[in-house]
Amino acid sequence: MIAKYRFGHPFPTDAVVQELPLSAGAPACFTVTEEEDGTHFRYALDKEDCVFGLGEQARGINKRGWIYENYNADDPNINEARQSLYGSHNFLLIAGEKPFGVFFDSADRVLFDIGYTDPDELVVVAKNVDVYLVEGESALAVVHAFRTLIGQSYIPPKWAFGYGQSRWGYMDEGDIRAVFEGFRDNDLPLDAIYMDIDYMLDYKDFSVHPARFPDLGKLASDLKAEGVYLVPIIDAAVKVQEGYSVYEEGLANGYFCTDSEGIPYVVAVWPGESMLPDVLNPAARLWFGSQYKALLDQGIEGFWNDMNEPAIFYSKGRLAAAIDYVVSVKGQNLDTHAFNKVSYAINSLHNSPEDYAALHHNVEGKRVCHAEVHNLYGYNMTRGAAEYFAEYAPDRRYLLFSRASYIGAHRYGGIWTGDNSSWWSHLRHNIAQMPGMDMCGFLFAGADIGGHCYNTTEDLLLRWLAFGVFTPLMRNHTTNGSRDQEPYRFKDIAAFRSILSARYALLPYLYSEYVKCALRGEMLFKPLCFEYPEDRRARTVEDQLFVGGSLMIAPVCDQNAAGRYVYLPARMKLVRMKNGRPCSTKVLEKGDYYIPVALDEIVFFVREGTVVPLAKPAKNASSVDFTRLHWLKFIAAPTAYELALDDGFTKSGIEKGLTAVTVEP
Ligand code: MIG
């Protein structure tokens, strides 16, 4: 049962795919008041209630005890103080006596005070919002109903489930080929190499630097012959430069965001002065999407969309004013206060709310202020690309994921969680983010494994990869100038080989579970209490997850730890894997255990009554043989398992590929 209520005049977000009648009044469980900053929705929390959701947001799985503000933010300083990250996913699941979900569908900012001001009260503040109240018999049933409301999650090609290597700083074809050789020569599996902004000429979208990449098409096809795909980045902003066709076409057609008078608004990002494609205008959105053709035509089949909050280093107008101010105090003896004003004049240019307020979209001939629809920008950039791919090759699946997002974008692509850091706490945060993103439809998701900012360590990377083995997007990425982070740069390459092999051995399971969860609106990563709602202890576990129907994982997230304590909410079979092969199993009763885990081991737990298909490890996803399987079993009777045996790249093959097999005990 889903009821829909409307407050104010919401801008259409296309987050929801079901038409529902509007209910009168307000949802009964909330006290609703109109206040100056918006509509306030108050809910009295029981001491026992857990609050889940909010997608990729900060802090733990249970969101209770903090205040969040969903307003897409380009800011790499991710820490516990943060209230906004790159994506805005306004769905909450209140798991009390009777669980229910609530979705605040607004393109504008939404505040969630989840027991921060008053530990026993949830307060949501929104303007111009459709509120969907979602009922169900259990937490999983509520999520399922919500996911039916928002439509089917994106399914990438199978190769996108392989391991991807990335870094900001691969400068040219030589660097890319060296990465491929590093993996090949060290017998490490690989499916994708990512290209960051340096492949472009002057950071111009859809251009390729002619000296650094003299023949991108050949590079792409050489690598594809080895089973490795190139995945270039696309940034939101388009460089202002005469003679650059993307700029000229966009300008001629009125496809860029403007000021309130309709004059194109000049911002600056990597390419210097730039304009932002008006992706809320359907014609402009599809036009920008059609620009991907330049790279598709060269054999590129995957993209990551960046800087689409949108990130703005400065706007032309505000920079000029700031410089005027700085010049005006030239020669003066500045006290602290006066100096701070100088410093602020420059430092406040970045992602300024004033620019978001000045920017406008053209939606069906009406000028719409960006600040009020801010959270839809990255979503629609990604949607434009996906809509164009469907024209370019209607039945083909492409890899596509975005940094900024809003619910609805999950139908068009995946997300990565942006610029985390090489910290153990961010591995822990990555674990907590997965179920939140799943609830909101973003099944194809992952973090920068090893950490983006700062320098990683061998053990952090190994432990993070051991968790990343289970995340649909498994990409190692780091920032410009950080320590080398490719597995073959470290001492114990055999340990990396062992961990990466597990991904490929588990691929029949991980891919089959993904496809089923996407088609059926289910969660891939589940907090323990979603499966064991009566188990009060399970509600407090923040660092273990169920992955699909058969497995529980308990990643090690502390430096120098030789293992960890694990809570088993039921009898399970512990499995140790090395080099992609199970090397020991042991049945454990419900309870607490200290489980040693070596750096080169994958440890997981198989639920009673289930099976896990394992393949022979391979050098890439396309070479994994899904038909010759070894079954891990914890069953007493014949058990059915549905494998996804599709071709891995067509859309039409997905459902037909689902094949039930019966596994004997
Ligand atoms: O201003 O393209 O989150 O993954 O390496 C930074 C360079 C721009 C931010 C992305 C990151 C990427 C980086 N980008």
Side-chain angles (χ1 to χ4, degrees):
M1 245 300 282
I2 303 182
K4 175 179 179 181
Y5 304 86
R6 176 161 290 177
F7 300 86
H9 304 279
F11 183 88
T13 66
D14 294 343
V16 159
V17 296
Q18 283 177 347
E19 288 272 350
L20 294 179
L22 276 181
S23 302
C29 51
F30 287 93
T31 308
V32 180
T33 53
E34 291 300 335
E35 292 176 37
E36 220 167 289
D37 57 346
T39 310
H40 286 223
F41 301 83
R42 291 170 186 277
Y43 178 82
L45 289 168
D46 187 82
K47 287 270 181 249
E48 298 284 314
D49 289 352
C50 297
V51 183
F52 301 104
L54 296 188
E56 75 178 57
Q57 261 287 10
R59 298 214 169 199
I61 297 179
N62 183 351
K63 293 293 185 230
R64 198 164 170 171
W66 188 240
I67 182 165
Y68 309 82
E69 184 181 55
N70 277 352
Y71 203 62
N72 294 353
D74 156 44
D75 182 347
N77 305 307
I78 298 171
N79 60 48
E80 285 190 33
R82 289 289 297 279
Q83 298 181 13
S84 311
L85 300 181
Y86 299 96
S88 291
H89 311 138
N90 303 337
F91 175 70
L92 288 182
L93 192 153
I94 295 133
E97 190 123 13
K98 180 141 176 29
F100 70 95
V102 56
F103 175 40
F104 294 88
D105 188 12
S106 168
D108 204 339
R109 73 179 72 230
V110 181
L111 184 93
F112 298 87
D113 181 338
I114 310 180
Y116 167 78
T117 303
D118 173 346
D120 300 314
E121 194 177 45
L122 162 71
V123 186
V124 179
V125 182
K127 270 171 288 189
N128 299 320
V129 61
D130 280 337
V131 178
Y132 294 84
L133 199 72
V134 186
E135 291 180 346
E137 282 312 304
S138 63
L140 288 173
V142 170
V143 172
H144 180 262
F146 176 60
R147 294 274 299 284
T148 309
L149 178 72
I150 61 174
Q152 190 190 302
S153 299
Y154 160 76
I155 303 179
K158 194 193 275 179
W159 64 264
F161 289 84
Y163 173 80
Q165 185 62 53
S166 184
R167 89 161 287 127
W168 178 11
Y170 296 151
M171 292 305 292
D172 55 21
E173 168 164 353
D175 285 350
I176 299 285
R177 288 194 188 268
V179 171
F180 167 71
E181 285 155 17
F183 279 81
R184 184 196 59 195
D185 297 349
N186 288 290
D187 196 18
L188 294 162
L190 181 68
D191 273 272
I193 303 177
Y194 286 77
M195 298 163 72
D196 208 317
I197 46 175
D198 298 301
Y199 81 87
M200 295 183 240
L201 177 61
D202 302 331
Y203 304 121
K204 279 186 291 192
D205 277 339
F206 314 108
S207 76
V208 178
H209 195 291
R212 296 178 189 164
F213 290 89
D215 192 345
L216 181 67
K218 178 160 190 311
L219 179 64
S221 75
D222 287 355
L223 290 175
K224 231 187 268 185
E226 305 282 350
V228 174
Y229 291 76
L230 278 180
V231 185
I233 195 170
I234 303 293
D235 280 4
V238 169
K239 184 176 177 66
V240 170
Q241 187 182 63
E242 261 174 61
Y244 169 38
S245 64
V246 185
Y247 166 68
E248 289 194 337
E249 277 177 36
L251 195 65
N253 290 294
Y255 287 161
F256 292 122
C257 293
T258 66
D259 65 13
S260 59
E261 308 286 294
I263 315 265
Y265 198 78
V266 181
V267 298
V269 201
W270 286 101
E273 289 183 5
S274 307
M275 289 181 187
L276 289 163
D278 186 358
V279 290
L280 294 190
N281 167 354
R285 177 167 75 224
L286 193 60
W287 163 77
F288 190 73
S290 71
Q291 302 303 316
Y292 288 70
K293 182 175 193 300
L295 293 160
L296 293 167
D297 283 348
Q298 298 187 67
I300 299 296
E301 299 189 46
F303 300 89
W304 48 309
N305 284 346
D306 191 20
M307 307 302 268
N308 51 11
E309 292 69 29
I312 298 176
F313 292 171
Y314 64 82
S315 63
K316 191 176 178 182
R318 297 189 66 244
L319 177 66
I323 291 176
D324 283 349
Y325 175 71
V326 173
V327 168
S328 77
V329 298
K330 187 173 177 186
Q332 290 181 18
N333 176 355
L334 303 180
D335 61 11
T336 306
H337 177 69
F339 170 71
N340 284 346
K341 275 176 77 177
V342 170
S343 160
Y344 182 79
I346 300 296
N347 290 329
S348 63
L349 293 174
H350 199 234
N351 298 331
S352 161
E354 289 180 39
D355 285 323
Y356 291 150
L359 264 175
H360 284 73
H361 299 275
N362 175 0
V363 183
E364 285 161 11
K366 270 203 232 105
R367 220 155 267 152
V368 175
C369 174
H370 174 79
E372 290 159 23
V373 293
H374 174 70
N375 287 342
L376 302 183
Y377 193 87
Y379 164 13
N380 282 285
M381 175 189 178
T382 298
R383 175 179 177 179
E387 285 172 343
Y388 179 70
F389 299 165
E391 272 183 21
Y392 184 83
D395 196 31
R396 202 163 179 93
R397 287 184 254 162
Y398 291 91
L399 170 59
L400 178 64
F401 60 93
S402 176
R403 194 171 71 174
S405 60
Y406 182 82
I407 291 174
H410 69 286
R411 300 194 299 271
Y412 301 100
I415 49 177
W416 95 98
T417 57
D419 299 349
N420 60 7
S421 291
S422 294
W423 298 337
W424 293 88
S425 60
H426 279 188
L427 164 54
R428 214 176 269 280
H429 184 215
N430 187 187
I431 297 168
Q433 286 175 306
M434 298 312 294
M437 294 192 285
D438 274 21
M439 282 175 222
C440 299
F442 293 97
L443 290 185
F444 194 75
D448 285 359
I449 293 174
H452 186 81
C453 305
Y454 309 106
N455 295 325
T456 201
T457 59
E458 179 164 11
D459 54 348
L460 175 59
L461 182 56
L462 279 166
R463 293 300 197 195
W464 208 323
L465 285 167
F467 170 60
V469 157
F470 299 94
T471 62
L473 171 65
M474 185 191 191
R475 180 178 78 141
N476 172 340
H477 178 56
T478 184
T479 191
N480 203 5
S482 69
R483 179 184 191 177
D484 288 331
Q485 203 164 290
E486 298 82 10
Y488 54 82
R489 308 279 193 172
F490 295 91
K491 193 168 180 192
D492 192 357
I493 297 175
F496 286 96
R497 194 177 301 124
S498 175
I499 298 295
L500 294 186
S501 306
R503 170 67 164 208
Y504 292 84
L506 281 160
L507 203 66
Y509 177 73
L510 296 170
Y511 182 70
S512 301
E513 294 297 299
Y514 184 96
V515 165
K516 288 180 279 184
C517 287
L519 292 177
R520 296 167 189 170
E522 283 163 12
M523 290 171 74
L524 186 61
F525 290 95
K526 290 162 281 187
L528 269 49
C529 60
F530 279 43
E531 293 283 3
Y532 295 92
E534 303 307 322
D535 183 336
R536 299 179 67 163
R537 170 74 188 285
R539 293 178 207 162
T540 65
V541 178
E542 291 265 333
D543 58 357
Q544 301 177 203
L545 295 170
F546 286 105
V547 185
S550 308
L551 294 188
M552 184 183 82
I553 56 170
V556 176
C557 355
D558 290 302
Q559 188 150 36
N560 299 317
R564 55 163 288 172
Y565 285 94
V566 178
Y567 174 63
L568 265 59
R571 207 156 93 105
M572 291 187 205
K573 185 186 265 186
L574 175 152
V575 177
R576 287 181 186 281
M577 268 182 117
K578 268 194 194 187
N579 296 312
R581 290 182 183 82
C583 48
S584 81
T585 66
K586 187 179 181 187
V587 173
L588 299 173
E589 299 301 321
K590 170 179 169 146
D592 289 275
Y593 297 87
Y594 181 79
I595 309 286
V597 186
L599 279 171
D600 64 348
E601 267 183 328
I602 298 284
V603 169
F604 55 82
F605 304 85
V606 179
R607 301 177 69 186
E608 194 161 17
T610 73
V611 294
V612 179
L614 291 181
K616 207 167 143 250
K619 64 175 184 160
N620 55 48
S622 324
S623 324
V624 173
D625 187 347
F626 275 48
T627 61
R628 297 194 19 209
L629 300 171
H630 167 81
W631 292 90
L632 283 172
K633 313 167 196 178
F634 189 16
I635 52 175
T639 301
Y641 186 84
E642 252 182 311
L643 284 164
L645 296 180
D646 56 73
D647 55 29
F649 61 89
T650 63
K651 294 178 184 165
S652 56
I654 300 173
E655 245 165 298
K656 286 184 275 180
L658 284 176
T659 309
V661 294
T662 301
V663 182
E664 299 296 329

mmCIF file with all atom_site columns, all heavy atoms in Angstrom, residues 287-300:
data_model
loop_
_atom_site.group_PDB
_atom_site.id
_atom_site.type_symbol
_atom_site.label_atom_id
_atom_site.label_alt_id
_atom_site.label_comp_id
_atom_site.label_asym_id
_atom_site.label_entity_id
_atom_site.label_seq_id
_atom_site.pdbx_PDB_ins_code
_atom_site.Cartn_x
_atom_site.Cartn_y
_atom_site.Cartn_z
_atom_site.occupancy
_atom_site.B_iso_or_equiv
_atom_site.pdbx_formal_charge
_atom_site.auth_seq_id
_atom_site.auth_comp_id
_atom_site.auth_asym_id
_atom_site.auth_atom_id
_atom_site.pdbx_PDB_model_num
ATOM 1   N N   . TRP A 1 287 ? 20.526 16.082 -26.622 1.00 0.00 ? 287 TRP A N   1
ATOM 2   C CA  . TRP A 1 287 ? 21.640 16.605 -27.432 1.00 0.00 ? 287 TRP A CA  1
ATOM 3   C C   . TRP A 1 287 ? 22.978 16.323 -26.729 1.00 0.00 ? 287 TRP A C   1
ATOM 4   O O   . TRP A 1 287 ? 23.913 15.830 -27.358 1.00 0.00 ? 287 TRP A O   1
ATOM 5   C CB  . TRP A 1 287 ? 21.454 18.121 -27.649 1.00 0.00 ? 287 TRP A CB  1
ATOM 6   C CG  . TRP A 1 287 ? 22.725 18.781 -28.100 1.00 0.00 ? 287 TRP A CG  1
ATOM 7   C CD1 . TRP A 1 287 ? 23.267 18.748 -29.354 1.00 0.00 ? 287 TRP A CD1 1
ATOM 8   C CD2 . TRP A 1 287 ? 23.641 19.513 -27.279 1.00 0.00 ? 287 TRP A CD2 1
ATOM 9   N NE1 . TRP A 1 287 ? 24.465 19.424 -29.364 1.00 0.00 ? 287 TRP A NE1 1
ATOM 10  C CE2 . TRP A 1 287 ? 24.723 19.903 -28.109 1.00 0.00 ? 287 TRP A CE2 1
ATOM 11  C CE3 . TRP A 1 287 ? 23.660 19.880 -25.926 1.00 0.00 ? 287 TRP A CE3 1
ATOM 12  C CZ2 . TRP A 1 287 ? 25.810 20.636 -27.619 1.00 0.00 ? 287 TRP A CZ2 1
ATOM 13  C CZ3 . TRP A 1 287 ? 24.733 20.610 -25.455 1.00 0.00 ? 287 TRP A CZ3 1
ATOM 14  C CH2 . TRP A 1 287 ? 25.793 20.982 -26.295 1.00 0.00 ? 287 TRP A CH2 1
ATOM 15  N N   . PHE A 1 288 ? 23.036 16.601 -25.429 1.00 0.00 ? 288 PHE A N   1
ATOM 16  C CA  . PHE A 1 288 ? 24.296 16.342 -24.705 1.00 0.00 ? 288 PHE A CA  1
ATOM 17  C C   . PHE A 1 288 ? 24.587 14.838 -24.718 1.00 0.00 ? 288 PHE A C   1
ATOM 18  O O   . PHE A 1 288 ? 25.721 14.414 -24.948 1.00 0.00 ? 288 PHE A O   1
ATOM 19  C CB  . PHE A 1 288 ? 24.230 16.881 -23.271 1.00 0.00 ? 288 PHE A CB  1
ATOM 20  C CG  . PHE A 1 288 ? 25.573 16.852 -22.587 1.00 0.00 ? 288 PHE A CG  1
ATOM 21  C CD1 . PHE A 1 288 ? 26.571 17.749 -22.945 1.00 0.00 ? 288 PHE A CD1 1
ATOM 22  C CD2 . PHE A 1 288 ? 25.853 15.914 -21.592 1.00 0.00 ? 288 PHE A CD2 1
ATOM 23  C CE1 . PHE A 1 288 ? 27.827 17.715 -22.330 1.00 0.00 ? 288 PHE A CE1 1
ATOM 24  C CE2 . PHE A 1 288 ? 27.102 15.874 -20.976 1.00 0.00 ? 288 PHE A CE2 1
ATOM 25  C CZ  . PHE A 1 288 ? 28.091 16.775 -21.349 1.00 0.00 ? 288 PHE A CZ  1
ATOM 26  N N   . GLY A 1 289 ? 23.549 14.042 -24.523 1.00 0.00 ? 289 GLY A N   1
ATOM 27  C CA  . GLY A 1 289 ? 23.720 12.585 -24.571 1.00 0.00 ? 289 GLY A CA  1
ATOM 28  C C   . GLY A 1 289 ? 24.272 12.138 -25.919 1.00 0.00 ? 289 GLY A C   1
ATOM 29  O O   . GLY A 1 289 ? 25.137 11.253 -25.999 1.00 0.00 ? 289 GLY A O   1
ATOM 30  N N   . SER A 1 290 ? 23.801 12.776 -26.984 1.00 0.00 ? 290 SER A N   1
ATOM 31  C CA  . SER A 1 290 ? 24.221 12.349 -28.332 1.00 0.00 ? 290 SER A CA  1
ATOM 32  C C   . SER A 1 290 ? 25.699 12.648 -28.581 1.00 0.00 ? 290 SER A C   1
ATOM 33  O O   . SER A 1 290 ? 26.301 12.091 -29.497 1.00 0.00 ? 290 SER A O   1
ATOM 34  C CB  . SER A 1 290 ? 23.353 13.013 -29.400 1.00 0.00 ? 290 SER A CB  1
ATOM 35  O OG  . SER A 1 290 ? 23.671 14.394 -29.484 1.00 0.00 ? 290 SER A OG  1
ATOM 36  N N   . GLN A 1 291 ? 26.300 13.505 -27.758 1.00 0.00 ? 291 GLN A N   1
ATOM 37  C CA  . GLN A 1 291 ? 27.732 13.799 -27.923 1.00 0.00 ? 291 GLN A CA  1
ATOM 38  C C   . GLN A 1 291 ? 28.607 12.585 -27.564 1.00 0.00 ? 291 GLN A C   1
ATOM 39  O O   . GLN A 1 291 ? 29.742 12.485 -28.016 1.00 0.00 ? 291 GLN A O   1
ATOM 40  C CB  . GLN A 1 291 ? 28.143 14.992 -27.050 1.00 0.00 ? 291 GLN A CB  1
ATOM 41  C CG  . GLN A 1 291 ? 27.364 16.270 -27.338 1.00 0.00 ? 291 GLN A CG  1
ATOM 42  C CD  . GLN A 1 291 ? 27.474 16.704 -28.782 1.00 0.00 ? 291 GLN A CD  1
ATOM 43  O OE1 . GLN A 1 291 ? 28.559 16.691 -29.363 1.00 0.00 ? 291 GLN A OE1 1
ATOM 44  N NE2 . GLN A 1 291 ? 26.341 17.065 -29.373 1.00 0.00 ? 291 GLN A NE2 1
ATOM 45  N N   . TYR A 1 292 ? 28.061 11.663 -26.765 1.00 0.00 ? 292 TYR A N   1
ATOM 46  C CA  . TYR A 1 292 ? 28.845 10.475 -26.396 1.00 0.00 ? 292 TYR A CA  1
ATOM 47  C C   . TYR A 1 292 ? 29.188 9.641  -27.630 1.00 0.00 ? 292 TYR A C   1
ATOM 48  O O   . TYR A 1 292 ? 30.077 8.791  -27.597 1.00 0.00 ? 292 TYR A O   1
ATOM 49  C CB  . TYR A 1 292 ? 28.084 9.612  -25.374 1.00 0.00 ? 292 TYR A CB  1
ATOM 50  C CG  . TYR A 1 292 ? 28.007 10.196 -23.978 1.00 0.00 ? 292 TYR A CG  1
ATOM 51  C CD1 . TYR A 1 292 ? 27.229 11.325 -23.718 1.00 0.00 ? 292 TYR A CD1 1
ATOM 52  C CD2 . TYR A 1 292 ? 28.693 9.618  -22.904 1.00 0.00 ? 292 TYR A CD2 1
ATOM 53  C CE1 . TYR A 1 292 ? 27.142 11.860 -22.436 1.00 0.00 ? 292 TYR A CE1 1
ATOM 54  C CE2 . TYR A 1 292 ? 28.613 10.148 -21.625 1.00 0.00 ? 292 TYR A CE2 1
ATOM 55  C CZ  . TYR A 1 292 ? 27.838 11.266 -21.399 1.00 0.00 ? 292 TYR A CZ  1
ATOM 56  O OH  . TYR A 1 292 ? 27.757 11.794 -20.136 1.00 0.00 ? 292 TYR A OH  1
ATOM 57  N N   . LYS A 1 293 ? 28.452 9.912  -28.721 1.00 0.00 ? 293 LYS A N   1
ATOM 58  C CA  . LYS A 1 293 ? 28.692 9.175  -29.979 1.00 0.00 ? 293 LYS A CA  1
ATOM 59  C C   . LYS A 1 293 ? 30.155 9.245  -30.397 1.00 0.00 ? 293 LYS A C   1
ATOM 60  O O   . LYS A 1 293 ? 30.718 8.261  -30.885 1.00 0.00 ? 293 LYS A O   1
ATOM 61  C CB  . LYS A 1 293 ? 27.805 9.760  -31.076 1.00 0.00 ? 293 LYS A CB  1
ATOM 62  C CG  . LYS A 1 293 ? 27.914 9.056  -32.410 1.00 0.00 ? 293 LYS A CG  1
ATOM 63  C CD  . LYS A 1 293 ? 26.886 9.642  -33.394 1.00 0.00 ? 293 LYS A CD  1
ATOM 64  C CE  . LYS A 1 293 ? 26.737 8.774  -34.634 1.00 0.00 ? 293 LYS A CE  1
ATOM 65  N NZ  . LYS A 1 293 ? 27.966 8.615  -35.399 1.00 0.00 ? 293 LYS A NZ  1
ATOM 66  N N   . ALA A 1 294 ? 30.781 10.394 -30.174 1.00 0.00 ? 294 ALA A N   1
ATOM 67  C CA  . ALA A 1 294 ? 32.177 10.555 -30.595 1.00 0.00 ? 294 ALA A CA  1
ATOM 68  C C   . ALA A 1 294 ? 33.050 9.447  -30.001 1.00 0.00 ? 294 ALA A C   1
ATOM 69  O O   . ALA A 1 294 ? 33.973 8.950  -30.652 1.00 0.00 ? 294 ALA A O   1
ATOM 70  C CB  . ALA A 1 294 ? 32.683 11.923 -30.159 1.00 0.00 ? 294 ALA A CB  1
ATOM 71  N N   . LEU A 1 295 ? 32.757 9.048  -28.783 1.00 0.00 ? 295 LEU A N   1
ATOM 72  C CA  . LEU A 1 295 ? 33.557 8.012  -28.121 1.00 0.00 ? 295 LEU A CA  1
ATOM 73  C C   . LEU A 1 295 ? 32.989 6.616  -28.390 1.00 0.00 ? 295 LEU A C   1
ATOM 74  O O   . LEU A 1 295 ? 33.746 5.657  -28.566 1.00 0.00 ? 295 LEU A O   1
ATOM 75  C CB  . LEU A 1 295 ? 33.647 8.303  -26.625 1.00 0.00 ? 295 LEU A CB  1
ATOM 76  C CG  . LEU A 1 295 ? 34.454 9.588  -26.327 1.00 0.00 ? 295 LEU A CG  1
ATOM 77  C CD1 . LEU A 1 295 ? 34.142 10.132 -24.953 1.00 0.00 ? 295 LEU A CD1 1
ATOM 78  C CD2 . LEU A 1 295 ? 35.954 9.333  -26.477 1.00 0.00 ? 295 LEU A CD2 1
ATOM 79  N N   . LEU A 1 296 ? 31.669 6.505  -28.449 1.00 0.00 ? 296 LEU A N   1
ATOM 80  C CA  . LEU A 1 296 ? 31.058 5.202  -28.776 1.00 0.00 ? 296 LEU A CA  1
ATOM 81  C C   . LEU A 1 296 ? 31.572 4.716  -30.128 1.00 0.00 ? 296 LEU A C   1
ATOM 82  O O   . LEU A 1 296 ? 31.874 3.532  -30.303 1.00 0.00 ? 296 LEU A O   1
ATOM 83  C CB  . LEU A 1 296 ? 29.526 5.332  -28.824 1.00 0.00 ? 296 LEU A CB  1
ATOM 84  C CG  . LEU A 1 296 ? 28.809 5.625  -27.503 1.00 0.00 ? 296 LEU A CG  1
ATOM 85  C CD1 . LEU A 1 296 ? 27.363 6.046  -27.770 1.00 0.00 ? 296 LEU A CD1 1
ATOM 86  C CD2 . LEU A 1 296 ? 28.839 4.414  -26.578 1.00 0.00 ? 296 LEU A CD2 1
ATOM 87  N N   . ASP A 1 297 ? 31.684 5.653  -31.063 1.00 0.00 ? 297 ASP A N   1
ATOM 88  C CA  . ASP A 1 297 ? 32.144 5.297  -32.412 1.00 0.00 ? 297 ASP A CA  1
ATOM 89  C C   . ASP A 1 297 ? 33.572 4.753  -32.407 1.00 0.00 ? 297 ASP A C   1
ATOM 90  O O   . ASP A 1 297 ? 33.995 4.115  -33.365 1.00 0.00 ? 297 ASP A O   1
ATOM 91  C CB  . ASP A 1 297 ? 32.068 6.515  -33.344 1.00 0.00 ? 297 ASP A CB  1
ATOM 92  C CG  . ASP A 1 297 ? 30.643 6.802  -33.803 1.00 0.00 ? 297 ASP A CG  1
ATOM 93  O OD1 . ASP A 1 297 ? 29.765 5.939  -33.595 1.00 0.00 ? 297 ASP A OD1 1
ATOM 94  O OD2 . ASP A 1 297 ? 30.408 7.900  -34.363 1.00 0.00 ? 297 ASP A OD2 1
ATOM 95  N N   . GLN A 1 298 ? 34.319 5.040  -31.355 1.00 0.00 ? 298 GLN A N   1
ATOM 96  C CA  . GLN A 1 298 ? 35.692 4.526  -31.278 1.00 0.00 ? 298 GLN A CA  1
ATOM 97  C C   . GLN A 1 298 ? 35.771 3.240  -30.459 1.00 0.00 ? 298 GLN A C   1
ATOM 98  O O   . GLN A 1 298 ? 36.857 2.817  -30.054 1.00 0.00 ? 298 GLN A O   1
ATOM 99  C CB  . GLN A 1 298 ? 36.603 5.597  -30.693 1.00 0.00 ? 298 GLN A CB  1
ATOM 100 C CG  . GLN A 1 298 ? 36.624 6.836  -31.589 1.00 0.00 ? 298 GLN A CG  1
ATOM 101 C CD  . GLN A 1 298 ? 37.638 7.861  -31.132 1.00 0.00 ? 298 GLN A CD  1
ATOM 102 O OE1 . GLN A 1 298 ? 38.835 7.619  -31.193 1.00 0.00 ? 298 GLN A OE1 1
ATOM 103 N NE2 . GLN A 1 298 ? 37.152 8.988  -30.655 1.00 0.00 ? 298 GLN A NE2 1
ATOM 104 N N   . GLY A 1 299 ? 34.604 2.667  -30.182 1.00 0.00 ? 299 GLY A N   1
ATOM 105 C CA  . GLY A 1 299 ? 34.596 1.371  -29.500 1.00 0.00 ? 299 GLY A CA  1
ATOM 106 C C   . GLY A 1 299 ? 34.523 1.469  -27.985 1.00 0.00 ? 299 GLY A C   1
ATOM 107 O O   . GLY A 1 299 ? 34.685 0.468  -27.280 1.00 0.00 ? 299 GLY A O   1
ATOM 108 N N   . ILE A 1 300 ? 34.268 2.664  -27.469 1.00 0.00 ? 300 ILE A N   1
ATOM 109 C CA  . ILE A 1 300 ? 34.124 2.832  -26.012 1.00 0.00 ? 300 ILE A CA  1
ATOM 110 C C   . ILE A 1 300 ? 32.733 2.340  -25.596 1.00 0.00 ? 300 ILE A C   1
ATOM 111 O O   . ILE A 1 300 ? 31.742 2.661  -26.262 1.00 0.00 ? 300 ILE A O   1
ATOM 112 C CB  . ILE A 1 300 ? 34.319 4.310  -25.617 1.00 0.00 ? 300 ILE A CB  1
ATOM 113 C CG1 . ILE A 1 300 ? 35.727 4.797  -25.999 1.00 0.00 ? 300 ILE A CG1 1
ATOM 114 C CG2 . ILE A 1 300 ? 34.003 4.539  -24.146 1.00 0.00 ? 300 ILE A CG2 1
ATOM 115 C CD1 . ILE A 1 300 ? 36.869 4.107  -25.287 1.00 0.00 ? 300 ILE A CD1 1
#
